[in-house]
Amino acid sequence: MASHRKSRTPGTRVAGIRTPALATAALTSVALLSQTANAVPSDDDKPSLEEVEKKVGDLYRQAESATEKYNAAKEKTTKQRKRVDTLLDDVAKRTQKLNDAREELGSFAAAQYRTGAGVPDTATFLLADTPQDIFDQRQVMDRMTGRQKEAVDDYVTQQSETMKKRQEATKSLETLTESQGDLKKAKATVQKKLTDARELMSKLTAEEKARLAAIEKKKQEEAARKAAELARQQAEQQQAQEEAAQQQSGGTGTSESSGSTTPPSTSTDSSYSTKAEKALAFARAQIGKPYVWGATGPGSYDCSGLTQAAWKAAGVTIPRTTYDQVDAGTTVPVSQAQPGDLVFFYDDITHVGIYIGNGMMIHAPKPGTYVREESIFYDGESSVHSVVRPA
Protein backbone atom coordinates (compact mmCIF):
# COMPACT_ATOMS: atom_id res chain seq x y z
CA MET A 1 0.00 0.00 0.00
CA ALA A 2 1.45 3.31 -1.02
CA SER A 3 2.47 5.76 1.67
CA HIS A 4 0.46 8.98 2.03
CA ARG A 5 3.19 10.92 3.82
CA LYS A 6 4.46 14.00 2.03
CA SER A 7 8.17 14.39 1.46
CA ARG A 8 9.87 17.08 3.56
CA THR A 9 10.42 20.33 1.74
CA PRO A 10 13.61 22.46 2.15
CA GLY A 11 13.41 25.06 4.85
CA THR A 12 11.72 22.97 7.55
CA ARG A 13 13.42 22.38 10.92
CA VAL A 14 15.02 18.95 11.45
CA ALA A 15 16.06 18.13 15.02
CA GLY A 16 16.49 21.86 15.77
CA ILE A 17 18.94 22.43 12.94
CA ARG A 18 18.32 24.88 10.04
CA THR A 19 18.95 23.85 6.51
CA PRO A 20 22.07 25.31 4.75
CA ALA A 21 20.10 28.09 3.08
CA LEU A 22 18.78 29.49 6.34
CA ALA A 23 22.12 29.06 8.07
CA THR A 24 23.83 31.09 5.35
CA ALA A 25 21.28 33.87 5.68
CA ALA A 26 21.72 33.96 9.44
CA LEU A 27 25.49 34.16 9.17
CA THR A 28 25.20 36.94 6.59
CA SER A 29 22.96 38.96 8.93
CA VAL A 30 25.44 38.56 11.79
CA ALA A 31 28.28 39.68 9.56
CA LEU A 32 26.37 42.76 8.44
CA LEU A 33 25.49 43.71 12.00
CA SER A 34 29.11 43.28 12.97
CA GLN A 35 30.25 45.55 10.12
CA THR A 36 27.66 48.16 11.06
CA ALA A 37 28.85 48.14 14.63
CA ASN A 38 32.46 48.55 13.51
CA ALA A 39 31.53 51.44 11.21
CA VAL A 40 30.42 53.58 14.15
CA PRO A 41 33.47 55.42 15.55
CA SER A 42 34.10 54.77 19.19
CA ASP A 43 35.13 57.36 21.71
CA ASP A 44 38.55 55.70 21.82
CA ASP A 45 39.17 56.64 18.16
CA LYS A 46 38.29 60.31 18.72
CA PRO A 47 41.31 62.57 19.27
CA SER A 48 41.68 64.09 22.68
CA LEU A 49 41.01 67.76 23.25
CA GLU A 50 44.72 68.35 23.78
CA GLU A 51 45.46 66.68 20.44
CA VAL A 52 42.85 68.85 18.71
CA GLU A 53 44.31 71.98 20.31
CA LYS A 54 47.81 71.02 19.15
CA LYS A 55 46.58 70.22 15.65
CA VAL A 56 44.72 73.53 15.35
CA GLY A 57 47.75 75.42 16.68
CA ASP A 58 50.01 73.65 14.18
CA LEU A 59 47.64 74.47 11.33
CA TYR A 60 47.56 78.16 12.28
CA ARG A 61 51.36 78.26 12.47
CA GLN A 62 51.60 76.53 9.11
CA ALA A 63 49.14 79.06 7.73
CA GLU A 64 51.27 81.88 9.12
CA SER A 65 54.37 80.34 7.55
CA ALA A 66 52.54 80.16 4.23
CA THR A 67 51.42 83.76 4.74
CA GLU A 68 55.02 84.94 5.03
CA LYS A 69 55.86 83.01 1.85
CA TYR A 70 52.86 84.67 0.23
CA ASN A 71 54.11 88.08 1.37
CA ALA A 72 57.56 87.38 -0.05
CA ALA A 73 56.13 86.17 -3.36
CA LYS A 74 53.82 89.18 -3.56
CA GLU A 75 56.67 91.59 -2.92
CA LYS A 76 58.82 89.84 -5.52
CA THR A 77 55.97 89.88 -8.02
CA THR A 78 55.38 93.60 -7.50
CA LYS A 79 59.06 94.43 -8.01
CA GLN A 80 59.30 92.15 -11.03
CA ARG A 81 56.21 93.68 -12.61
CA LYS A 82 57.70 97.17 -12.24
CA ARG A 83 60.94 95.94 -13.78
CA VAL A 84 59.12 94.35 -16.72
CA ASP A 85 57.12 97.54 -17.32
CA THR A 86 60.32 99.60 -17.26
CA LEU A 87 62.06 97.22 -19.66
CA LEU A 88 59.13 97.18 -22.05
CA ASP A 89 59.04 100.99 -22.08
CA ASP A 90 62.77 101.02 -22.77
CA VAL A 91 62.38 98.50 -25.60
CA ALA A 92 59.62 100.64 -27.14
CA LYS A 93 61.84 103.74 -27.06
CA ARG A 94 64.81 101.85 -28.49
CA THR A 95 62.63 100.37 -31.23
CA GLN A 96 61.59 103.91 -32.21
CA LYS A 97 65.23 104.98 -32.34
CA LEU A 98 65.98 101.93 -34.44
CA ASN A 99 63.22 102.85 -36.86
CA ASP A 100 64.53 106.43 -37.04
CA ALA A 101 68.03 105.14 -37.85
CA ARG A 102 66.57 102.84 -40.51
CA GLU A 103 64.71 105.75 -42.12
CA GLU A 104 67.91 107.80 -42.17
CA LEU A 105 69.73 104.99 -43.93
CA GLY A 106 66.90 104.83 -46.43
CA SER A 107 67.18 108.53 -47.13
CA PHE A 108 70.91 108.12 -47.80
CA ALA A 109 70.23 105.27 -50.15
CA ALA A 110 67.71 107.40 -52.04
CA ALA A 111 70.20 110.27 -52.17
CA GLN A 112 72.85 107.97 -53.59
CA TYR A 113 70.46 106.90 -56.27
CA ARG A 114 69.52 110.49 -57.16
CA THR A 115 73.14 111.74 -57.28
CA GLY A 116 74.41 108.70 -59.13
CA ALA A 117 76.80 107.77 -56.35
CA GLY A 118 76.66 104.16 -57.46
CA VAL A 119 77.85 105.10 -61.01
CA PRO A 120 81.58 104.50 -61.80
CA ASP A 121 83.89 107.54 -61.96
CA THR A 122 84.41 107.18 -65.73
CA ALA A 123 80.68 107.20 -66.40
CA THR A 124 80.23 110.17 -64.07
CA PHE A 125 82.93 112.10 -66.01
CA LEU A 126 81.36 111.27 -69.35
CA LEU A 127 77.83 112.08 -68.23
CA ALA A 128 78.68 115.38 -66.50
CA ASP A 129 77.85 118.57 -68.40
CA THR A 130 80.83 120.53 -67.07
CA PRO A 131 83.93 119.84 -64.88
CA GLN A 132 82.28 121.98 -62.16
CA ASP A 133 79.40 119.48 -62.00
CA ILE A 134 81.88 116.66 -61.36
CA PHE A 135 83.56 118.66 -58.56
CA ASP A 136 80.23 119.54 -56.91
CA GLN A 137 79.06 115.93 -56.95
CA ARG A 138 82.31 114.71 -55.37
CA GLN A 139 82.05 117.29 -52.56
CA VAL A 140 78.48 116.26 -51.79
CA MET A 141 79.37 112.56 -51.77
CA ASP A 142 82.37 113.07 -49.46
CA ARG A 143 80.17 114.83 -46.92
CA MET A 144 77.42 112.26 -47.35
CA THR A 145 79.83 109.35 -46.88
CA GLY A 146 80.79 110.60 -43.41
CA ARG A 147 77.16 111.00 -42.36
CA GLN A 148 76.33 107.60 -43.83
CA LYS A 149 79.02 105.95 -41.73
CA GLU A 150 77.65 107.60 -38.58
CA ALA A 151 74.13 106.52 -39.52
CA VAL A 152 75.19 102.93 -40.13
CA ASP A 153 77.13 102.81 -36.85
CA ASP A 154 74.16 104.25 -34.98
CA TYR A 155 71.79 101.74 -36.59
CA VAL A 156 74.00 98.77 -35.66
CA THR A 157 74.34 100.04 -32.08
CA GLN A 158 70.60 100.64 -31.69
CA GLN A 159 69.82 97.22 -33.17
CA SER A 160 72.20 95.44 -30.78
CA GLU A 161 71.00 97.27 -27.67
CA THR A 162 67.35 96.80 -28.59
CA MET A 163 67.92 93.07 -29.04
CA LYS A 164 69.58 92.81 -25.61
CA LYS A 165 66.76 94.70 -23.92
CA ARG A 166 64.17 92.51 -25.61
CA GLN A 167 65.93 89.39 -24.34
CA GLU A 168 66.14 90.91 -20.85
CA ALA A 169 62.44 91.75 -20.93
CA THR A 170 61.60 88.21 -22.02
CA LYS A 171 63.56 86.72 -19.11
CA SER A 172 61.92 89.15 -16.69
CA LEU A 173 58.50 88.13 -17.97
CA GLU A 174 59.39 84.48 -17.36
CA THR A 175 60.51 85.32 -13.81
CA LEU A 176 57.29 87.29 -13.26
CA THR A 177 55.23 84.30 -14.38
CA GLU A 178 57.17 82.07 -11.97
CA SER A 179 56.64 84.55 -9.11
CA GLN A 180 52.92 84.70 -9.86
CA GLY A 181 52.84 80.90 -9.69
CA ASP A 182 54.54 80.97 -6.27
CA LEU A 183 52.05 83.61 -5.15
CA LYS A 184 49.09 81.51 -6.22
CA LYS A 185 50.52 78.39 -4.55
CA ALA A 186 51.21 80.19 -1.25
CA LYS A 187 47.70 81.67 -1.25
CA ALA A 188 46.14 78.24 -1.80
CA THR A 189 48.22 76.78 1.03
CA VAL A 190 47.11 79.48 3.46
CA GLN A 191 43.46 78.99 2.59
CA LYS A 192 43.73 75.19 2.93
CA LYS A 193 45.37 75.36 6.37
CA LEU A 194 42.80 77.83 7.66
CA THR A 195 39.93 75.74 6.32
CA ASP A 196 41.31 72.62 8.01
CA ALA A 197 41.65 74.48 11.32
CA ARG A 198 38.08 75.80 11.15
CA GLU A 199 36.73 72.34 10.35
CA LEU A 200 38.48 70.87 13.37
CA MET A 201 37.08 73.57 15.64
CA SER A 202 33.57 73.19 14.19
CA LYS A 203 33.47 69.53 15.24
CA LEU A 204 33.94 70.35 18.91
CA THR A 205 30.96 70.23 21.23
CA ALA A 206 30.03 73.16 23.44
CA GLU A 207 31.52 71.34 26.42
CA GLU A 208 34.77 70.69 24.56
CA LYS A 209 34.99 74.32 23.50
CA ALA A 210 34.55 75.36 27.12
CA ARG A 211 37.31 72.99 28.19
CA LEU A 212 39.52 74.31 25.41
CA ALA A 213 38.90 77.87 26.62
CA ALA A 214 39.92 76.78 30.13
CA ILE A 215 43.15 75.30 28.77
CA GLU A 216 43.85 78.53 26.89
CA LYS A 217 43.18 80.58 30.01
CA LYS A 218 45.66 78.49 31.96
CA LYS A 219 48.27 79.06 29.25
CA GLN A 220 47.65 82.80 29.39
CA GLU A 221 48.07 82.82 33.15
CA GLU A 222 51.40 81.01 32.83
CA ALA A 223 52.47 83.43 30.07
CA ALA A 224 51.58 86.40 32.31
CA ARG A 225 53.60 84.89 35.15
CA LYS A 226 56.62 84.53 32.84
CA ALA A 227 56.20 88.11 31.63
CA ALA A 228 56.11 89.38 35.22
CA GLU A 229 59.26 87.41 35.99
CA LEU A 230 61.05 88.95 33.01
CA ALA A 231 59.84 92.42 34.06
CA ARG A 232 61.28 91.86 37.53
CA GLN A 233 64.63 90.74 36.11
CA GLN A 234 64.81 93.75 33.79
CA ALA A 235 63.95 96.11 36.66
CA GLU A 236 66.74 94.62 38.76
CA GLN A 237 69.21 94.99 35.90
CA GLN A 238 68.16 98.60 35.37
CA GLN A 239 68.57 99.38 39.05
CA ALA A 240 72.00 97.73 39.14
CA GLN A 241 73.12 99.78 36.13
CA GLU A 242 71.91 103.02 37.69
CA GLU A 243 73.67 102.25 40.98
CA ALA A 244 76.87 101.40 39.11
CA ALA A 245 76.65 104.68 37.19
CA GLN A 246 76.14 106.65 40.41
CA GLN A 247 79.09 104.97 42.09
CA GLN A 248 81.26 105.67 39.09
CA SER A 249 80.13 109.30 39.03
CA GLY A 250 80.83 109.77 42.75
CA GLY A 251 84.24 108.07 42.64
CA THR A 252 85.76 109.93 39.73
CA GLY A 253 85.50 113.46 41.19
CA THR A 254 86.25 116.60 39.22
CA SER A 255 90.01 116.00 39.00
CA GLU A 256 89.60 113.18 36.51
CA SER A 257 88.30 115.28 33.68
CA SER A 258 89.22 112.60 31.20
CA GLY A 259 86.95 110.09 32.91
CA SER A 260 83.52 109.48 31.44
CA THR A 261 80.58 109.44 33.82
CA THR A 262 78.03 108.72 31.09
CA PRO A 263 77.86 105.46 29.21
CA PRO A 264 78.92 106.03 25.59
CA SER A 265 75.68 104.58 24.29
CA THR A 266 73.43 107.16 25.99
CA SER A 267 72.91 109.33 22.90
CA THR A 268 72.29 106.26 20.76
CA ASP A 269 69.79 104.86 23.29
CA SER A 270 68.05 108.23 23.45
CA SER A 271 67.72 108.35 19.67
CA TYR A 272 66.39 104.81 19.58
CA SER A 273 63.92 105.46 22.38
CA THR A 274 62.50 108.45 20.51
CA LYS A 275 61.91 106.37 17.39
CA ALA A 276 60.61 103.44 19.41
CA GLU A 277 58.02 105.66 21.12
CA LYS A 278 56.66 106.67 17.72
CA ALA A 279 56.54 103.06 16.56
CA LEU A 280 54.76 101.98 19.74
CA ALA A 281 52.27 104.86 19.55
CA PHE A 282 51.33 103.69 16.06
CA ALA A 283 51.07 100.04 17.16
CA ARG A 284 48.83 100.93 20.11
CA ALA A 285 46.51 102.83 17.79
CA GLN A 286 46.00 99.63 15.78
CA ILE A 287 44.80 97.54 18.77
CA GLY A 288 41.43 96.02 18.02
CA LYS A 289 41.92 95.83 14.25
CA PRO A 290 41.52 92.35 12.74
CA TYR A 291 44.29 90.02 11.67
CA VAL A 292 44.09 89.39 7.93
CA TRP A 293 46.81 87.38 6.24
CA GLY A 294 48.79 89.41 3.74
CA ALA A 295 47.41 92.73 5.05
CA THR A 296 49.57 95.80 5.70
CA GLY A 297 46.90 98.23 6.92
CA PRO A 298 45.32 100.54 7.52
CA GLY A 299 42.20 98.54 8.32
CA SER A 300 43.82 95.18 9.08
CA TYR A 301 47.25 93.60 9.46
CA ASP A 302 49.17 90.37 9.59
CA CYS A 303 52.05 90.12 12.07
CA SER A 304 54.89 91.43 9.91
CA GLY A 305 52.63 93.96 8.20
CA LEU A 306 51.96 95.52 11.61
CA THR A 307 55.61 95.73 12.67
CA GLN A 308 56.65 97.13 9.31
CA ALA A 309 53.93 99.81 9.44
CA ALA A 310 54.79 100.69 13.06
CA TRP A 311 58.44 101.34 12.34
CA LYS A 312 57.59 103.13 9.10
CA ALA A 313 55.58 105.57 11.24
CA ALA A 314 58.82 106.20 13.15
CA GLY A 315 60.69 106.95 9.92
CA VAL A 316 62.47 103.60 9.76
CA THR A 317 62.05 101.27 6.78
CA ILE A 318 62.22 97.55 7.52
CA PRO A 319 61.52 94.65 5.12
CA ARG A 320 58.08 93.14 4.58
CA THR A 321 58.50 89.55 5.79
CA THR A 322 59.58 88.03 9.12
CA TYR A 323 62.38 86.20 7.29
CA ASP A 324 63.91 89.54 6.28
CA GLN A 325 62.93 91.59 9.33
CA VAL A 326 64.92 89.28 11.61
CA ASP A 327 68.10 90.42 9.80
CA ALA A 328 67.18 94.11 9.80
CA GLY A 329 68.87 95.10 13.04
CA THR A 330 70.97 94.02 16.00
CA THR A 331 70.10 90.85 17.90
CA VAL A 332 69.92 91.28 21.68
CA PRO A 333 69.18 88.84 24.54
CA VAL A 334 65.56 88.55 25.65
CA SER A 335 66.60 89.83 29.09
CA GLN A 336 67.82 93.07 27.47
CA ALA A 337 64.78 93.69 25.28
CA GLN A 338 63.70 97.33 25.11
CA PRO A 339 60.39 98.87 24.02
CA GLY A 340 60.30 98.96 20.23
CA ASP A 341 62.39 95.81 19.73
CA LEU A 342 61.00 93.11 17.47
CA VAL A 343 60.35 89.71 19.06
CA PHE A 344 60.43 86.74 16.67
CA PHE A 345 58.91 83.32 17.26
CA TYR A 346 59.44 79.68 16.29
CA ASP A 347 62.37 78.00 14.61
CA ASP A 348 61.10 78.92 11.15
CA ILE A 349 60.66 82.59 12.19
CA THR A 350 57.03 82.83 11.12
CA HIS A 351 55.70 85.29 13.70
CA VAL A 352 56.74 88.67 15.09
CA GLY A 353 55.52 91.23 17.61
CA ILE A 354 56.76 94.60 18.88
CA TYR A 355 58.00 94.70 22.48
CA ILE A 356 56.39 97.27 24.80
CA GLY A 357 58.22 96.38 28.03
CA ASN A 358 57.53 94.25 31.12
CA GLY A 359 57.54 91.05 29.08
CA MET A 360 54.64 92.24 26.93
CA MET A 361 54.22 93.00 23.23
CA ILE A 362 51.70 94.21 20.67
CA HIS A 363 51.07 91.79 17.82
CA ALA A 364 48.56 90.51 15.30
CA PRO A 365 48.24 86.91 16.51
CA LYS A 366 46.39 84.80 13.91
CA PRO A 367 43.24 84.65 11.75
CA GLY A 368 40.07 85.20 13.73
CA THR A 369 41.82 87.43 16.28
CA TYR A 370 42.60 91.13 16.63
CA VAL A 371 45.71 93.21 17.22
CA ARG A 372 46.31 93.12 20.98
CA GLU A 373 48.76 93.34 23.85
CA GLU A 374 50.00 89.97 25.06
CA SER A 375 52.85 88.29 26.89
CA ILE A 376 55.81 87.39 24.68
CA PHE A 377 55.50 83.94 26.29
CA TYR A 378 51.95 83.49 24.96
CA ASP A 379 52.94 80.22 23.28
CA GLY A 380 55.53 79.12 25.80
CA GLU A 381 59.06 80.26 26.57
CA SER A 382 60.55 77.93 23.97
CA SER A 383 58.58 79.60 21.18
CA VAL A 384 60.66 82.82 21.43
CA HIS A 385 63.28 82.74 18.69
CA SER A 386 65.11 86.04 19.06
CA VAL A 387 64.87 89.77 19.78
CA VAL A 388 66.06 92.31 17.22
CA ARG A 389 66.61 96.07 17.59
CA PRO A 390 65.78 97.53 14.16
CA ALA A 391 67.19 101.06 14.46
Side-chain angles (χ1 to χ4, degrees):
M1 187 173 176
S3 173
H4 295 285
R5 291 182 180 178
K6 293 183 180 179
S7 60
R8 290 187 177 93
T9 57
T12 58
R13 186 184 297 272
V14 179
I17 302 176
R18 295 179 184 273
T19 61
L22 288 177
T24 301
L27 289 172
T28 302
S29 299
V30 171
L32 288 172
L33 287 171
S34 176
Q35 290 176 2
T36 303
N38 290 335
V40 178
S42 65
D43 290 339
D44 293 338
D45 295 333
K46 188 176 181 180
S48 67
L49 196 58
E50 289 74 13
E51 289 174 336
V52 171
E53 182 197 26
K54 183 180 184 305
K55 181 64 176 176
V56 170
D58 289 344
L59 285 169
Y60 275 130
R61 280 192 290 276
Q62 290 166 13
E64 197 159 33
S65 175
T67 296
E68 290 305 313
K69 291 178 181 177
Y70 170 86
N71 292 338
K74 185 177 181 180
E75 188 175 40
K76 183 179 179 181
T77 300
T78 301
K79 290 180 179 179
Q80 200 64 37
R81 184 178 286 111
K82 288 180 180 178
R83 175 167 175 74
V84 167
D85 290 342
T86 300
L87 285 170
L88 290 176
D89 288 343
D90 190 32
V91 167
K93 292 176 182 178
R94 290 181 182 278
T95 300
Q96 184 58 49
K97 289 183 179 179
L98 185 63
N99 292 336
D100 293 342
R102 187 183 289 114
E103 289 179 4
E104 188 174 7
L105 285 177
S107 65
F108 283 132
Q112 283 183 331
Y113 177 79
R114 288 194 302 270
T115 58
V119 181
D121 291 344
T122 304
T124 300
F125 177 76
L126 293 173
L127 293 172
D129 294 332
T130 64
Q132 184 63 40
D133 290 341
I134 297 175
F135 177 78
D136 292 341
Q137 286 185 20
R138 287 188 180 280
Q139 288 290 95
V140 171
M141 288 308 302
D142 286 342
R143 289 195 301 271
M144 188 172 291
T145 299
R147 291 179 60 194
Q148 283 178 332
K149 186 177 184 305
E150 290 178 3
V152 170
D153 290 344
D154 182 56
Y155 177 79
V156 172
T157 300
Q158 293 294 340
Q159 187 179 43
S160 176
E161 290 180 354
T162 301
M163 183 63 68
K164 288 180 181 179
K165 288 297 179 182
R166 281 176 178 168
Q167 291 174 348
E168 192 175 347
T170 300
K171 289 181 180 179
S172 292
L173 280 170
E174 291 173 356
T175 303
L176 175 59
T177 302
E178 182 181 346
S179 298
Q180 288 173 330
D182 293 341
L183 185 65
K184 186 177 180 180
K185 183 178 179 181
K187 182 177 181 178
T189 301
V190 173
Q191 292 174 332
K192 177 66 168 59
K193 298 297 182 183
L194 294 179
T195 299
D196 291 346
R198 293 188 189 105
E199 286 181 357
L200 274 175
M201 292 298 294
S202 67
K203 294 177 181 178
L204 296 178
T205 64
E207 182 184 355
E208 287 172 331
K209 290 179 180 178
R211 286 170 54 201
L212 191 61
I215 293 173
E216 183 63 26
K217 183 179 179 182
K218 187 175 180 180
K219 285 178 61 178
Q220 290 176 354
E221 290 172 351
E222 176 61 18
R225 187 187 67 79
K226 284 282 186 182
E229 183 180 339
L230 176 60
R232 179 182 57 78
Q233 292 174 355
Q234 291 181 329
E236 290 175 353
Q237 290 177 0
Q238 180 67 24
Q239 184 177 359
Q241 290 173 358
E242 291 175 356
E243 290 176 354
Q246 290 176 357
Q247 291 176 0
Q248 184 180 8
S249 176
T252 54
T254 56
S255 59
E256 297 181 6
S257 58
S258 60
S260 175
T261 60
T262 304
S265 60
T266 298
S267 59
T268 304
D269 290 346
S270 176
S271 174
Y272 178 76
S273 296
T274 301
K275 294 175 182 177
E277 286 175 4
K278 293 180 180 178
L280 289 175
F282 179 91
R284 287 192 178 94
Q286 312 315 307
I287 290 177
K289 293 184 178 179
Y291 176 105
V292 174
W293 63 272
T296 56
S300 58
Y301 297 88
D302 64 16
C303 65
S304 56
L306 175 64
T307 51
Q308 183 190 45
W311 271 103
K312 183 179 180 181
V316 177
T317 300
I318 61 175
R320 173 66 181 92
T321 67
T322 54
Y323 310 129
D324 294 325
Q325 288 183 9
V326 75
D327 295 323
T330 304
T331 301
V332 298
V334 175
S335 61
Q336 296 179 19
Q338 295 181 13
D341 290 352
L342 301 180
V343 186
F344 294 91
F345 297 86
Y346 312 116
D347 292 338
D348 54 356
I349 318 173
T350 53
H351 189 66
V352 63
I354 184 167
Y355 192 67
I356 61 176
N358 296 325
M360 302 291 288
M361 67 176 174
I362 296 174
H363 70 146
K366 61 184 179 182
T369 63
Y370 300 85
V371 176
R372 66 191 184 203
E373 290 187 10
E374 195 163 28
S375 167
I376 66 171
F377 304 109
Y378 79 107
D379 201 20
E381 190 172 3
S382 62
S383 67
V384 179
H385 177 274
S386 57
V387 178
V388 172
R389 194 156 297 153

